[in-house]
Amino acid sequence: YSSRSMRPWLVLKTFGITFEEIIIPLRQPDSKARVLAHSASGKVPALVTPEQTLWESLAIIEYLAESFP
């Protein structure tokens, strides 16, 4: 519902970075529980790495820039 959610996805796709996309329909009775299963903050988008879970778009993009120069 926001372009902010799409920004990390566009970066991943544009630079050919392999990732698993999990689509969770929002505004559904079980949406919050499904998001919490992947993101402890309850926020999306979320990028889960072996070290951490990033949930803010700019933080995700910065992480990708550092990890995939």
Side-chain angles (χ1 to χ4, degrees):
Y1 301 109
S2 167
S3 65
R4 284 178 274 189
S5 297
M6 192 159 202
R7 291 174 190 161
W9 183 87
L10 287 170
V11 171
L12 289 160
K13 288 291 194 178
T14 299
F15 291 100
I17 301 169
T18 303
F19 68 101
E20 177 186 359
E21 182 177 8
I22 299 170
I23 299 172
I24 300 171
L26 301 178
R27 300 183 182 154
Q28 302 297 313
D30 65 341
S31 295
K32 185 73 168 177
R34 292 180 66 191
V35 169
L36 286 169
H38 302 284
S39 173
S41 70
K43 303 201 183 248
V44 293
L47 178 68
V48 179
T49 73
E51 301 84 29
Q52 61 191 335
T53 299
L54 301 164
W55 57 266
E56 201 277 325
S57 293
L58 184 56
I60 293 170
I61 293 168
E62 288 177 357
Y63 170 84
L64 294 171
E66 291 171 2
S67 300
F68 303 92

